[in-house]
Amino acid sequence: MPLNKLKKSPRNARKTPHGEAHIEALAASITAKGMLQNLVVEPETDGEGKPTGSYFVTIGEGRRLAQLLRVKRKAIKKTEGIRCVLDTENDPQEISLDENVTREAMSPADQFERFRELSERKGWGAEEIAARFGVTAHVVRQRLRLGAVSPKLMQVYRDGDLTLDQLMAFAITEDHARQERVYENLSYNREPSIIRRDLTKTNVAATDRRAIFVGPVAYAEAGGTIIRDLFSEDRGGFYEDPALLDRLVIEKLEGVAAEVRQAEGWKWAGVHIDFPHAHGMRRAYPHTAELSAEDTAAAEAAQAEYDALTERYDSAEELPDDVDQRFGELEAEIERIDALRHAYDPDDITCGGVFVVLNHDGAARIERGFIRAEDEKPEPEEVVEGEDASVIDGVRVNGDGEIIGDGDYDEDGSHVSALDTEGEEAEEDGKPLSDLLIRDLTAHRTLGLRLALGEQPDMALIAVTHALAAQTFYRGVDASCLEIRPTSSTLASHADGIEDTAPAKVLADRHAGWAADMPRDVADLWGFVAGLDHASVMALLAHCTSLTVNAVKQPWERKPHTQQTADSLATALILDMTAHWLPTVRAYLGRVTKAHILAAVREAVGDEAADRIAGMKKQAMAEAAEQLLAGTGWLPSLLQTTRSAWLTEQPEAEQVPDDTQGTDAETFSIAAE
């Protein structure tokens, strides 16, 4: 029958229109293989019962529409002959209904396996198969992946003991042995997420910093395989070979380290995936450096042009391409010159090194200025005043290496002969004062310093700040006459990964900023501290003091007063740990019992949410709780800060102290409370 003589039958049992995707699939199938099923038609008659020459399609309306689509695409003419069966005996409505009812759809399992066989036997790719069946290439890939599931699991699916969602979860990998092993180890909880997790727990997610750093192209070129979940958002898949990925990370970091060492002249460069926090080395920091006249002029010119462009295009909604490019060039030039304002001491570069590690965001992180113990410069020998002598290992020797000072010493370490001849030696011109007299005089001076310093709080502030800064930023602890010894315990041994968190990075940047401003010689430190304004002295004191805080609770320690003081300090600081810590599976939820997880959800979200996850397995419960607790501000009791009485008693509008109001004494009394 000519296609243009075929019409839609008003007695067709199917009233719901065919979907566009179905028509596309039929058109593609007919184009590739011809029309496999004929149409069933009846003659159209006019009001008098006479044939009109056209025919109603009783069975095969979808195929008629597919042929019309081919006409629209100029694949065939509208008069194309369509194979039909002319049926004038059966009731058109009945046979139309029969066509759609008395049939059984093909099992999805059979469909998946036949697609796989077709691909392997014909050698067709997903795109070619998609074109022949009128579906997308992604749908074909999904069916091919499902067809690659272990035959044992496919039979379990046929038997109804696996859902399609569970089968799709198993299809994340084509390793049949692995699929079967995971299936055998499943408990009553067969959630697709659990299956995917068990299948990929030995792999590395594409969102991992190592995968981001290496990239999929380099990993694939090295022979690595990336498995992808075609049925859910996998964010780039999973890298199957962690050992290969680690090797590629190290190789790429070594390349970065070689470039840095060659360009900057460091003695050594160490490469690690994680920063070696227990390196035990002293660290040198860059110091302020004078710009050359050429760089100063270049900086002024770049800044002037940048400011002019900013003023000119301040109101522009969109910058022209050439102007936008120029802004980028100027910003790069300004950053380059700003980097020259701080430089490392050449001696530190000669004997020091850098660590090149992998940052949390998947970029190379370069930490400079580490001095190994064997590369440290020896401390200058102590010269004894008035004698050609020095002190080596606690023994006084002269220039010829002979030991000076034979004889007896009293219990304080003073030479007995000095006690006996003090009067005589004092009378001889050119002889130094005795050790005993020096000690006596400096003791009186110490007493005077104590008395005077206690009467001058501002100077005491400078002295304490100087003592702390000298031991915080310089090697050695003898740069101050104050017997104050700050101790800063490393936290990396107590909490894995804490040194790589955002708060730790903020603290490290603050420390590096102060270190860059410090004078190179500790002898100049007093003048530096004394020359700071009051706010800067307080800021430096606060930073040095902050590094001595240790509120870690060890299981064997019994220091109740220490913890009480830590609580009081947190209250005084109005410490808000929600800005520094989140209740994630790794940080908390995966390390406590189910009862603790439920208690946290119940406290933060409510009983209903807790009851919803109460029946889950531990890992699934922890993951669900992480999502529920996100944004709630929930904290375990150890991280909660008690609200101070003075803050609670104030009216709502006055609860936050205004730093610009009140005297220092008032502020101190509040913090002390």
Side-chain angles (χ1 to χ4, degrees), residues 573-607:
L573 294 171
I574 318 178
L575 178 65
D576 180 11
M577 283 301 298
T578 60
H580 312 304
W581 185 90
L582 293 174
T584 63
V585 173
R586 179 182 179 185
Y588 181 80
L589 298 169
R591 303 165 64 182
V592 298
T593 64
K594 293 175 66 175
H596 282 97
I597 297 174
L598 292 174
V601 173
R602 188 168 284 110
E603 179 183 339
V605 187
D607 293 337

Side-chain angles (χ1 to χ4, degrees), residues 34-183:
M35 202 167 70
L36 302 179
Q37 295 173 288
N38 53 257
L39 278 59
V40 177
V41 299
E42 62 169 326
E44 180 189 39
T45 58
D46 58 18
E48 298 178 357
K50 296 180 180 180
T52 64
S54 296
Y55 299 85
F56 288 125
V57 177
T58 306
I59 296 174
E61 174 63 14
R63 295 187 289 280
R64 185 185 75 88
L65 294 175
Q67 294 286 24
L68 290 176
L69 179 61
R70 297 182 67 212
V71 171
K72 183 178 180 180
R73 292 175 176 172
K74 302 187 183 306
I76 58 174
K77 296 180 179 180
K78 62 182 180 180
T79 57
E80 179 81 9
I82 306 300
R83 188 173 69 251
C84 302
V85 171
L86 180 63
D87 189 331
T88 58
E89 296 181 4
N90 292 304
D91 180 2
Q93 288 181 321
E94 180 182 352
I95 63 174
S96 177
L97 179 63
D98 197 313
E99 168 76 7
N100 289 283
V101 172
T102 56
R103 66 174 181 168
E104 184 176 3
M106 185 180 192
S107 167
D110 295 336
Q111 180 189 146
F112 304 149
E113 290 179 338
R114 300 296 83 76
F115 264 90
R116 184 76 177 185
E117 291 174 3
L118 184 64
S119 173
E120 293 175 348
R121 183 165 52 86
K122 295 281 191 177
W124 290 338
E127 287 75 12
E128 188 168 359
I129 295 176
R132 297 178 68 85
F133 285 87
V135 294
T136 64
H138 182 67
V139 169
V140 175
R141 292 190 187 96
Q142 288 180 325
R143 294 174 181 174
L144 293 176
R145 180 67 66 82
L146 287 167
V149 172
S150 162
K152 292 182 180 179
L153 297 186
M154 190 65 76
Q155 187 58 48
V156 175
Y157 170 64
R158 280 193 176 95
D159 296 340
D161 292 330
L162 274 181
T163 67
L164 181 58
D165 285 341
Q166 292 167 338
L167 189 70
M168 290 190 296
F170 278 108
I172 194 173
T173 176
E174 298 184 15
D175 187 337
H176 290 181
R178 194 163 161 193
Q179 292 172 347
E180 294 168 9
R181 186 166 56 252
V182 169
Y183 174 75

Side-chain angles (χ1 to χ4, degrees), residues 390-443:
S390 60
V391 176
I392 301 177
D393 293 334
V395 179
R396 296 168 62 190
V397 298
N398 60 21
D400 298 325
E402 299 174 342
I403 296 177
I404 301 174
D406 292 335
D408 299 327
Y409 293 82
D410 66 6
E411 60 183 3
D412 293 326
S414 298
H415 202 283
V416 173
S417 60
L419 298 175
D420 297 336
T421 62
E422 179 181 345
E424 297 177 4
E425 291 180 352
E427 295 177 358
E428 298 181 21
D429 294 337
K431 294 292 291 183
L433 299 179
S434 68
D435 292 343
L436 179 61
L437 180 56
I438 291 175
R439 188 176 62 178
D440 183 287
L441 295 175
T442 53

Side-chain angles (χ1 to χ4, degrees), residues 1 59 137 142 172 188 225 241 266 364 369 459 500-501 542-543 632:
M1 304 290 185
I59 296 174
Q142 288 180 325
I172 194 173
Y188 70 91
T225 302
D241 193 341
W266 295 97
M459 195 54 63
D500 295 317
T501 60
H543 173 69
T632 64

Side-chain angles (χ1 to χ4, degrees), residues 91-407:
D91 180 2
Q93 288 181 321
E94 180 182 352
I95 63 174
S96 177
L97 179 63
D98 197 313
E99 168 76 7
N100 289 283
V101 172
T102 56
R103 66 174 181 168
E104 184 176 3
M106 185 180 192
S107 167
D110 295 336
Q111 180 189 146
F112 304 149
E113 290 179 338
R114 300 296 83 76
F115 264 90
R116 184 76 177 185
E117 291 174 3
L118 184 64
S119 173
E120 293 175 348
R121 183 165 52 86
K122 295 281 191 177
W124 290 338
E127 287 75 12
E128 188 168 359
I129 295 176
R132 297 178 68 85
F133 285 87
V135 294
T136 64
H138 182 67
V139 169
V140 175
R141 292 190 187 96
Q142 288 180 325
R143 294 174 181 174
L144 293 176
R145 180 67 66 82
L146 287 167
V149 172
S150 162
K152 292 182 180 179
L153 297 186
M154 190 65 76
Q155 187 58 48
V156 175
Y157 170 64
R158 280 193 176 95
D159 296 340
D161 292 330
L162 274 181
T163 67
L164 181 58
D165 285 341
Q166 292 167 338
L167 189 70
M168 290 190 296
F170 278 108
I172 194 173
T173 176
E174 298 184 15
D175 187 337
H176 290 181
R178 194 163 161 193
Q179 292 172 347
E180 294 168 9
R181 186 166 56 252
V182 169
Y183 174 75
E184 292 169 359
N185 293 331
L186 284 176
S187 62
Y188 70 91
N189 186 356
R190 297 186 175 186
E191 288 290 329
S193 61
I194 300 296
I195 296 173
R196 289 189 182 91
R197 185 201 68 195
D198 291 347
L199 285 169
T200 59
K201 63 184 179 182
T202 60
N203 305 138
V204 179
T207 54
D208 186 274
R209 57 188 177 133
R210 293 170 292 171
I212 295 173
F213 183 61
V214 172
V217 175
Y219 175 75
E221 289 177 351
T225 302
I226 301 176
I227 60 176
R228 300 185 184 277
D229 189 347
L230 300 180
F231 304 96
S232 65
E233 177 57 51
D234 66 357
R235 302 186 204 176
F238 299 86
Y239 289 55
E240 276 200 313
D241 193 341
L244 171 63
L245 185 61
D246 286 347
R247 178 172 65 81
L248 295 175
V249 169
I250 293 296
E251 290 176 356
K252 190 171 181 179
L253 289 175
E254 286 175 344
V256 175
E259 293 177 2
V260 172
R261 185 180 177 189
Q262 181 178 4
E264 301 179 17
W266 295 97
K267 181 177 181 180
W268 57 268
V271 170
H272 303 270
I273 293 180
D274 297 310
F275 187 83
H277 295 288
H279 52 74
M281 304 179 197
R282 177 177 68 87
R283 185 171 188 179
Y285 290 91
H287 294 275
T288 303
E290 291 292 334
L291 292 179
S292 65
E294 181 181 352
D295 288 331
T296 300
E300 292 175 352
Q303 189 63 53
E305 184 178 353
Y306 184 90
D307 294 340
L309 285 176
T310 301
E311 182 177 355
R312 180 178 177 183
Y313 292 95
D314 184 45
S315 59
E317 294 183 0
E318 186 174 352
L319 294 175
D321 291 341
D322 58 335
V323 174
D324 188 47
Q325 179 180 352
R326 185 54 182 162
F327 265 117
E329 295 172 352
L330 291 172
E331 289 170 355
E333 177 68 3
I334 292 171
E335 289 178 2
R336 181 191 70 81
I337 298 175
D338 282 344
L340 300 176
R341 299 181 188 276
H342 290 85
Y344 285 90
D345 190 304
D347 291 339
D348 290 335
I349 295 178
T350 301
C351 66
V354 299
F355 285 121
V356 180
V357 298
L358 187 59
N359 205 25
H360 63 86
D361 59 356
R365 170 180 154 202
I366 304 170
E367 298 288 345
R368 300 170 173 85
F370 294 93
I371 314 296
R372 297 181 296 201
E374 61 268 27
D375 295 327
E376 292 281 11
K377 292 182 179 180
E379 291 291 335
E381 297 179 347
E382 180 183 347
V383 178
V384 180
E385 184 179 354
E387 297 182 6
D388 184 15
S390 60
V391 176
I392 301 177
D393 293 334
V395 179
R396 296 168 62 190
V397 298
N398 60 21
D400 298 325
E402 299 174 342
I403 296 177
I404 301 174
D406 292 335

Side-chain angles (χ1 to χ4, degrees), residues 410-491:
D410 66 6
E411 60 183 3
D412 293 326
S414 298
H415 202 283
V416 173
S417 60
L419 298 175
D420 297 336
T421 62
E422 179 181 345
E424 297 177 4
E425 291 180 352
E427 295 177 358
E428 298 181 21
D429 294 337
K431 294 292 291 183
L433 299 179
S434 68
D435 292 343
L436 179 61
L437 180 56
I438 291 175
R439 188 176 62 178
D440 183 287
L441 295 175
T442 53
H444 284 279
R445 185 169 184 257
T446 299
L447 178 60
L449 286 171
R450 288 180 178 179
L451 181 62
L453 191 60
E455 296 171 349
Q456 301 182 44
D458 290 342
M459 195 54 63
L461 175 65
I462 292 176
V464 171
T465 304
H466 170 268
L468 294 177
Q471 297 168 81
T472 300
F473 295 99
Y474 296 88
R475 188 161 51 119
V477 295
D478 60 348
S480 173
C481 62
L482 272 63
E483 291 185 328
I484 296 175
R485 295 291 180 262
T487 301
S488 183
S489 300
T490 179
L491 300 177

